């Protein structure tokens, strides 16, 4: 019996199957520094212990996307090692802040399976939960991924596609315990724009662009212990029509989110991921641009929440908000369509 693990192929998954993922990961300030070096985020709540303490927290939490990437990386050897592509996200909720020193573990439950008509691949739906060292859930999300079959002739007897919510309801959003924006320092945050200043339907061009180089995306993906072959194995990728390694979609999400600081300086704290789609593959050497649309607003009492749609493009500035056409076809430059809730201070 082989001691090496080839990963799961589509026919290895079963509805209701629970996957306990290996390698718990302790988050350190080194992770935070590398995240900053790779993506360049500037949100004050995650950059300064003093700023975070003034907002009622014990110190600066890590950017929620760090927790997301760490938990996502845990799942790859069991869920998407043999993936063709990660397809989307839904029902993502950040349930508790994560601080340097916390240790994250992950489990996933298979909630859907659908074989593709070519019988060479299928789509696997999993609900993943990340917990800290106290056993507290810090995040939960659904993702679906296209996975190769080991044997195209293998019969798939159990199939189902889950019904997923279009968005996390405001009543289900979790505000970090103790978070208090009543003494929010607007100048130190970088902009005076409060919850009241944003209107539904408003669009914001984030202006700046950021190139992603080969070495950067390789380092970023290794940082999260993501072992998916499509990101690293050039020998295999040379057989693909593109001939290139795919950039991990999380790199695009974090790069676009960092770019969103310009216009959404006070909306760094993600509370939920409503949905997300990697519209097109992204390869090294391209420059990411981004724009956002305010889809909804919710008053959560002490803080406000904005439902935001973050659209990223490759090598195309977003001053005219490239999007879908009247038939629902995306502009060819669009690479990401990401829908999330973010906490925002109210003017009070």
């Amino acid at each position: 019996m082989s001691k090496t693990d080839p990963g799961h192929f589509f026919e290895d998954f079963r509805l209701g199957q629970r996957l306990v993922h290996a390698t718990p990961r302790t988050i350190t300030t080194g992770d935070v520094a590398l995240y900053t070096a790779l993506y360049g985020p500037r949100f004050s709540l995650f950059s300064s212990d003093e700023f975070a303490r003034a907002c009622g927290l014990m110190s600066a939490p890590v950017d929620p996307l760090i927790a997301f990437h760490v938990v996502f990386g845990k799942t790859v050897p069991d869920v998407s090692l043999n993936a063709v592509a990660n397809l989307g996200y839904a029902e993502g909720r950040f349930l508790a802040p994560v601080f340097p020193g916390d240790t994250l573990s992950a489990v996933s439950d298979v909630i859907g399976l659908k074989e593709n008509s070519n019988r060479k691949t299928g789509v696997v739906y999993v609900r993943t939960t990340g917990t800290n060292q106290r056993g507290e859930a810090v995040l939960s999300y659904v993702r679906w991924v296209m996975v190769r079959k080991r044997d195209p002739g293998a019969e798939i007897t159990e199939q189902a596609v889950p019904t997923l919510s279009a968005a996390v309801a405001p009543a289900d959003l979790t505000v970090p315990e103790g978070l208090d924006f009543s003494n929010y320092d607007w100048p130190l945050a970088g902009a005076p724009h409060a919850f009241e200043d944003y209107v539904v339907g408003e669009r914001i061009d984030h202006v700046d662009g950021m190139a992603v180089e080969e070495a950067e995306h390789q380092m970023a993906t290794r940082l999260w212990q993501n072992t998916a072959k499509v990101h690293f194995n050039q020998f295999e990728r040379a057989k693909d029509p593109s001939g290139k390694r795919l950039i991990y979609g999380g790199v695009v999400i974090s790069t676009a989110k960092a770019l969103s600081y310009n216009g959404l300086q006070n909306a760094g704290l993600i509370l939920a991921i409503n949905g997300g789609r990697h519209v097109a593959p992204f390869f090294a050497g391209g420059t990411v641009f981004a724009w956002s649309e305010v889809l909804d607003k919710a008053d959560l009492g002490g803080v406000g929440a904005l439902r935001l749609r973050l659209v990223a493009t490759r090598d195309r500035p977003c001053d005219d908000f490239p999007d879908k056409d009247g038939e629902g076809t995306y502009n060819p430059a669009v690479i990401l369509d990401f829908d999330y809730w973010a906490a925002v201070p109210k003017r009070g």
Side-chain angles (χ1 to χ4, degrees):
M1 179 174 160
S2 175
K3 292 183 172 62
T4 59
D5 184 1
H8 288 77
F9 290 86
F10 182 71
E11 61 263 43
D12 299 327
F13 293 97
R14 298 290 181 269
L15 291 174
Q17 180 180 10
R18 168 156 284 201
L19 303 167
V20 178
H21 305 300
T23 319
R25 174 77 183 277
T26 300
I27 309 301
T28 70
T29 54
D31 293 307
V32 176
L34 273 172
Y35 187 86
T36 303
L38 290 165
Y39 309 116
R42 293 180 281 161
F43 299 102
S44 294
L45 190 67
F46 314 126
S47 301
S48 165
D49 286 340
E50 293 305 315
F51 190 96
R53 279 193 276 267
C55 293
L57 303 178
M58 64 179 186
S59 61
V62 304
D63 189 305
L65 287 175
I66 291 180
F68 176 79
H69 292 318
V70 168
V71 170
F72 186 103
K74 302 297 96 192
T75 72
V76 169
D78 300 311
V79 175
S80 51
L81 189 65
N82 296 303
V84 177
N86 193 57
L87 300 178
Y89 313 93
E91 297 184 358
R93 298 174 61 214
F94 292 90
L95 303 168
V98 175
F99 297 91
D102 284 344
T103 297
L104 302 186
S105 301
V107 298
S108 295
D109 296 298
V110 179
I111 62 172
L113 295 170
K114 179 64 176 176
E115 185 178 20
N116 289 328
S117 58
N118 63 14
R119 301 203 65 196
K120 296 179 180 179
T121 60
V123 179
V124 181
Y125 296 78
V126 296
R127 186 181 302 277
T128 297
T129 302
T131 56
N132 61 21
Q133 67 275 17
R134 294 179 294 277
E136 301 163 341
V138 299
L139 67 93
S140 174
Y141 64 92
V142 173
R143 74 161 168 139
W144 49 104
V145 56
M146 188 185 301
V147 179
R148 292 181 176 87
K149 291 177 70 177
R150 181 190 294 106
D151 174 11
E155 293 295 329
I156 309 298
T157 58
E158 240 185 343
Q159 298 190 59
V161 175
T163 300
L164 300 170
S165 301
V168 177
D172 293 328
L173 298 175
T174 301
V175 177
E177 185 176 354
L179 186 69
D180 181 2
F181 284 153
S182 59
N183 294 313
Y184 196 78
D185 193 319
W186 303 95
L188 288 184
H193 313 306
F195 174 70
E196 295 85 349
D197 298 321
Y198 293 93
V199 297
V200 174
E202 179 179 0
R203 291 182 165 190
I204 303 164
D205 172 20
H206 299 303
V207 181
D208 306 307
M210 188 180 300
V212 179
E213 303 296 348
E214 196 74 71
E216 292 170 339
H217 93 83
Q218 296 276 281
M219 182 179 292
T221 310
R222 282 192 290 263
L223 177 63
W224 314 124
Q225 298 175 321
N226 181 335
T227 57
K229 298 172 185 177
V230 293
H231 306 315
F232 294 110
N233 192 328
Q234 184 57 44
F235 178 78
E236 291 296 328
R237 290 298 296 170
K239 303 171 187 176
D240 184 82
S242 72
K244 301 176 182 178
R245 286 162 286 173
L246 288 174
I247 287 182
Y248 162 47
V251 170
V252 177
I253 293 172
S254 282
T255 302
K257 185 65 171 66
L259 292 171
S260 77
Y261 174 86
N262 195 349
L264 289 167
Q265 292 89 335
N266 302 308
L269 182 60
I270 298 178
L271 300 177
I273 297 172
N274 299 305
R277 180 182 174 191
H278 297 292
V279 176
F282 184 62
F283 302 103
T287 297
V288 177
F289 294 88
W291 63 274
S292 292
E293 179 180 6
V294 181
L295 298 178
D296 200 358
K297 299 176 66 174
D299 190 330
L300 304 182
V303 303
L306 298 179
R307 182 180 173 188
L308 298 163
R309 179 179 175 230
L310 177 62
V311 178
T313 62
R314 176 191 170 111
D315 295 335
R316 191 188 191 286
C318 295
D319 52 328
D320 62 343
F321 310 108
D323 200 357
K324 303 174 186 177
D325 62 21
E327 297 180 353
T329 302
Y330 282 96
N331 182 290
V334 173
I335 55 176
L336 174 72
D337 195 341
F338 191 69
D339 179 341
Y340 68 99
W341 283 102
V344 182
K346 298 193 295 185
R347 185 161 286 109

